[in-house]
Amino acid sequence: MEYRRMGKSGLQLSALSFGSWVTFASQVQDNTSEKLMQVAYDNGINFFDNAEAYASGKSEKVMGDILKKMNWDRSSYVVSSKVFWGGNLPNQKGLMRKHVVEAANAALQRLNVDYLDLFYCHRPDEFTPISETVWTMHNLIQQGKILYWGTSEWSAQQITEAHVVAERYNLIGPSVEQPQYNLLERTKLEKEYLPLFKNFGMGTTIWSPLASGVLTGKYLNGIPKGSRMEIESLAWIKDKVWNAENQVKVAALNTLANDLDVSLANLSIAWCLKNPNVSSVILGASKVEQLEENLKSIELLPKLTSEVMAKIEAIMGNKPHLTSY
Ligand code: NDP
């Protein structure tokens, strides 16, 4: 395993990490969740990602029970939660001080830990002043309940505002952003966020490196039974991600992967790892064999020569255009 600093912070994250969205407490049984965590940890993964919204808190409960049972040294892993979607009542959703504090306390209980290493704002909250959220996160750090805080899918402008508030009042600002990043979804990380890396040293822990499985090529011949695209509440994957244009690109990528004698899953994950602004690629898996396969992606990095990268660009045709002055 390779370890990378989370931006300019001192924290070291495994370049491949593991998250439980869709899977824990819903798609997979608890004994599979346990095996997945064990395989991840045994292979050097030190970052486990979770959120209050995942299976309405049950995903954190499953992960917390596993952490307790495994009894791994607390210093050997990093665990996260995210706050935003806690419930339907007025103060159960958003980033107001009340919900952020209550969500942190609830996550600590469910995950069976004394502190969260990372605590993310799962989405921006247009109704709460950013300064209220920054102060609350700073206070949670001072109380020892969280160690670092971050954002997920915030705009560069919102993240910049958080840093401006932090600098003005000498508070601890966000250290990390969690955007979607994969071969089909590139603009935020490769264009919009560039000033954040330069000006604030933000790290990134990126989600859906396989675009929910689409970038494994598994859907090229129809929808396999039990796969994510079958899940009704995730119909947008079929409608939006698996559109005609992307189907052609994935087929071409699959041919390239075959030529290189690697799996498309490995090629897609390694491509994310190749970006130096990525601190950690969060893997998802519903089966142990998937995780075992995806862990091999790191070995593929030397094969991603400039020639191979150029072939990938030619297939994708979606490299964000950077304005030069
Ligand atoms: P991926 O895009 O990698 O999708 C993972 C899914 O793809 C698996 O559950 C499995 O689904 C399928 N898959 C994975 N590997 C293989 C393989 N080798 N062969 C065939 N199928 C495979 O990642 P996720 O979308 O799961 O995201 C990863 C993590 O990122 C989440 O767990 C979460 O922690 C985080 N996240 C954060 C978000 C945010 O807003 N901050 C949003 C979404 C995710 P199946 O078997 O069911 O088809």
Side-chain angles (χ1 to χ4, degrees), residues 34 71 85 93 138 161 166 168 172 202 210 221 262 272 287 301 315 320 323:
E34 188 178 318
N71 202 22
W85 292 287
K93 181 181 169 187
H138 177 82
E161 194 178 329
R168 182 180 305 152
I172 298 172
M202 295 281 291
L210 296 173
N221 299 312
V262 299
C272 297
K287 298 185 179 68
L301 273 174
I315 292 170
T323 318

Side-chain angles (χ1 to χ4, degrees), residues 16-78:
L16 295 173
S17 45
F18 183 66
S20 62
W21 178 52
V22 185
T23 52
F24 284 23
S26 91
Q27 198 188 9
V28 307
Q29 300 292 318
D30 293 355
N31 59 346
T32 303
S33 303
E34 188 178 318
K35 278 190 210 133
L36 285 164
M37 294 270 291
Q38 183 76 64
V39 167
Y41 188 82
D42 288 348
N43 281 279
I45 283 183
N46 76 352
F47 167 35
F48 297 97
D49 186 59
N50 219 318
E52 64 169 351
Y54 296 170
S56 306
K58 290 192 214 81
S59 169
E60 290 182 333
K61 184 83 182 63
V62 169
M63 192 177 275
D65 289 347
I66 296 168
L67 289 174
K68 190 171 178 184
K69 184 171 169 190
M70 297 296 177
N71 202 22
W72 295 322
D73 191 312
R74 183 65 185 87
S75 63
S76 69
Y77 65 89
V78 167

Side-chain angles (χ1 to χ4, degrees), residues 210 215-217 253-254 256-270 290 293-297 300 303:
L210 296 173
L215 286 165
T216 63
L253 283 172
N254 203 37
L256 176 65
N258 285 338
D259 291 348
L260 294 169
D261 203 18
V262 299
S263 78
L264 180 51
N266 284 161
L267 184 69
S268 304
I269 292 167
Q290 293 174 351
E293 179 189 350
N294 298 348
L295 279 160
K296 291 187 205 136
S297 307
L300 189 60
K303 276 199 176 181

Side-chain angles (χ1 to χ4, degrees), residues 73-235:
D73 191 312
R74 183 65 185 87
S75 63
S76 69
Y77 65 89
V78 167
V79 67
S80 76
S81 181
K82 306 187 201 82
V83 52
F84 191 86
W85 292 287
N88 296 323
L89 294 175
N91 289 314
Q92 292 176 339
K93 181 181 169 187
L95 301 176
M96 66 288 280
R97 180 172 293 112
K98 180 169 168 62
H99 183 53
V100 173
V101 168
E102 288 172 351
N105 288 331
L108 289 174
Q109 278 203 348
R110 288 191 292 258
L111 286 164
N112 278 316
V113 288
D114 297 328
Y115 57 89
L116 300 169
D117 301 273
L118 294 172
F119 196 34
Y120 294 92
C121 299
H122 212 153
R123 289 292 180 272
D125 175 358
E126 57 187 301
F127 302 109
T128 301
I130 284 179
S131 58
E132 179 174 331
T133 306
V134 176
W135 271 104
T136 307
M137 288 296 189
H138 177 82
N139 289 340
L140 284 171
I141 291 175
Q142 287 199 310
Q143 291 162 12
K145 291 187 175 181
I146 66 172
L147 303 187
Y148 299 84
W149 74 278
T151 56
S152 180
E153 298 293 341
W154 282 30
S155 67
Q157 154 115 26
Q158 289 161 329
I159 296 169
T160 302
E161 194 178 329
H163 278 284
V164 169
V165 171
E167 275 168 27
R168 182 180 305 152
Y169 299 108
N170 211 15
L171 308 174
I172 298 172
S175 310
V176 59
E177 156 64 39
Q178 187 169 133
Q180 182 178 178
Y181 183 59
N182 55 53
L183 277 159
L184 299 168
E185 191 70 51
R186 308 170 58 173
T187 312
K188 260 196 172 132
L189 196 133
E190 289 187 29
K191 182 172 178 164
E192 183 186 343
Y193 288 165
L194 290 183
L196 304 176
F197 304 136
K198 187 165 161 258
N199 298 332
F200 308 117
M202 295 281 291
T204 62
T205 54
I206 63 109
W207 60 269
S208 287
L210 296 173
S212 279
V214 162
L215 286 165
T216 63
K218 70 194 286 180
Y219 295 113
L220 284 169
N221 299 312
I223 303 179
K225 224 177 150 22
S227 62
R228 188 177 292 186
M229 224 187 261
E230 271 196 336
I231 301 172
E232 241 170 72
S233 57
L234 300 175

